[in-house]
Amino acid sequence: MIQKSVNLNELKEHINSFLEKEIYKNKNIECCPICGGKKHIKYGSYKGIQRYKCKKCERTFSNTTNSLWSYSKKDLNKWIKFVELMIKRKSLRFCAAKLKISLGTAFYWRHKILHGLKVDSIPNKLEGAVHINKTIVVENFKGCRNITTTKRSNIWIIAAKGDEDSMLVLPAFKDCWMRGIFYEKVYSKIQKGSYIVPYNDRYITAIAKEHNKKSLKERKEDDRVGYIMMNIMRWFSPYKGIATKYLEEYLSFFVLFNLDKMIDYVDIISYLSFGEKFIRTKDIGLKNK
């Protein structure tokens, strides 16, 4: 769960300490993030960040290559403040005015962050008492141009949570139940010996009976899954509609607010600063076309 009550002065001290310790300080680089080559040399620095040159592809890179804000010309502090405002679910217009950036920049920054948070958000397994529910939302074309159809499909969102502190919430299929896709995206993650707890859906209930067989266990409901429709609708309301092509990213963000572990701003900034979190602006615009 996102920890919202953070003293801002204390936050700034943590961020400055984090940046100094983890980004601007030299650290061991195992391989080239561009080609995977193991041999590289130090190649100067830029704004206090150590740079390297790969001996295999002869490309240069730094400690922050492929991080969320790679290639950004904006000050890193603005990114950090934007993350803070985004976690508070402030509107794009509010963020743009507050940070003195364009509305377009605010839009792309939000989707870069959503992409970064999505990268490792889907759990690899579901075990123990696995609660599964579904809700249906109508396809949304917000922001799309040149729409040639008036038909809007029903998008089936599947929510599943086991005993581990993670949660699977994703748009699984359109219009009707698809057993094959459910098995691929959800059931394949359920471990042997787990017990499925279904919620008011005949398809999920049928799979639960088949999986559980004669095993009977006490049913302890989880409101995060049991009331998934109400929870999603309430959480989505500040966004005034979400385009279906970005729905999976927003659902990954939604999951952070439904974990048992308390997560603060510094945890999220730390996560976004390392690893393969980068996505090019043009790839956001081309998503799902």
Side-chain angles (χ1 to χ4, degrees), residues 100-244:
K100 297 181 180 179
I101 58 178
S102 71
L103 187 60
T105 296
F107 171 84
Y108 285 114
W109 279 17
R110 175 189 281 182
H111 286 278
K112 282 174 179 283
I113 292 169
L114 288 174
H115 171 79
L117 292 174
K118 174 192 167 186
V119 171
D120 301 313
S121 65
I122 299 177
N124 295 320
K125 61 181 181 179
L126 298 165
E127 56 187 353
V130 181
H131 301 255
I132 306 179
N133 199 359
K134 73 97 169 62
T135 187
I136 296 176
V137 297
V138 178
E139 190 173 17
N140 190 315
F141 297 116
K142 181 179 179 181
C144 296
R145 298 179 180 179
N146 302 321
I147 300 173
T148 58
T149 180
T150 57
K151 180 184 176 182
R152 294 176 184 268
S153 301
N154 288 328
I155 308 298
W156 288 55
I157 297 176
I158 302 294
K161 189 179 187 315
D163 290 343
E164 61 284 336
D165 190 24
S166 60
M167 191 173 177
L168 175 67
V169 185
L170 76 166
F173 24 79
K174 288 184 177 183
D175 290 327
C176 61
W177 172 266
M178 297 182 184
R179 187 182 179 96
I181 294 178
F182 177 83
Y183 268 76
E184 176 188 347
K185 293 187 175 181
V186 182
Y187 189 78
S188 61
K189 299 179 183 297
I190 299 175
Q191 304 298 295
K192 290 183 178 180
S194 298
Y195 182 82
I196 296 178
V197 182
Y199 289 82
N200 305 319
D201 182 85
R202 58 180 176 141
Y203 301 106
I204 298 174
T205 299
I207 289 175
K209 287 181 178 179
E210 181 182 330
H211 176 88
N212 298 335
K213 296 180 181 178
K214 296 182 179 180
S215 175
L216 295 175
K217 292 187 179 181
E218 181 182 353
R219 174 175 173 146
K220 186 178 180 181
E221 296 188 351
D222 189 321
D223 290 346
R224 289 170 290 188
V225 177
Y227 296 104
I228 190 63
M229 179 178 180
M230 183 175 64
N231 294 338
I232 286 178
M233 293 301 103
R234 185 190 299 124
W235 191 84
F236 276 6
S237 60
Y239 297 113
K240 310 300 182 184
I242 293 173
T244 298

Side-chain angles (χ1 to χ4, degrees), residues 17-160:
S17 175
F18 163 75
L19 291 175
E20 182 180 354
K21 181 179 179 182
E22 300 294 342
I23 295 181
Y24 296 113
K25 186 177 179 180
N26 293 342
K27 67 174 186 178
N28 293 327
I29 299 291
E30 295 181 358
C31 63
C32 171
I34 301 169
C35 71
K38 299 291 184 180
K39 294 183 179 180
H40 53 269
I41 58 173
K42 290 185 177 181
Y43 201 72
S45 62
Y46 179 71
K47 292 185 178 180
I49 302 175
Q50 180 64 55
R51 295 194 61 78
Y52 305 89
K53 184 175 182 180
C54 175
K55 289 188 174 182
K56 182 178 179 181
C57 67
E58 297 188 347
R59 300 283 296 276
T60 60
F61 59 94
S62 73
N63 292 340
T64 59
T65 297
N66 286 342
S67 65
L68 176 72
W69 23 73
S70 290
Y71 311 110
S72 176
K73 296 179 181 179
K74 301 293 185 182
D75 190 275
L76 183 55
N77 286 326
K78 282 197 174 184
W79 276 93
I80 292 169
K81 290 175 183 176
F82 187 86
V83 171
E84 176 191 337
L85 294 173
M86 184 172 164
I87 288 173
K88 293 179 179 178
R89 290 191 292 153
K90 297 295 185 181
S91 70
L92 291 177
R93 291 187 185 279
F94 180 92
C95 295
K98 185 77 172 177
L99 301 179
K100 297 181 180 179
I101 58 178
S102 71
L103 187 60
T105 296
F107 171 84
Y108 285 114
W109 279 17
R110 175 189 281 182
H111 286 278
K112 282 174 179 283
I113 292 169
L114 288 174
H115 171 79
L117 292 174
K118 174 192 167 186
V119 171
D120 301 313
S121 65
I122 299 177
N124 295 320
K125 61 181 181 179
L126 298 165
E127 56 187 353
V130 181
H131 301 255
I132 306 179
N133 199 359
K134 73 97 169 62
T135 187
I136 296 176
V137 297
V138 178
E139 190 173 17
N140 190 315
F141 297 116
K142 181 179 179 181
C144 296
R145 298 179 180 179
N146 302 321
I147 300 173
T148 58
T149 180
T150 57
K151 180 184 176 182
R152 294 176 184 268
S153 301
N154 288 328
I155 308 298
W156 288 55
I157 297 176
I158 302 294

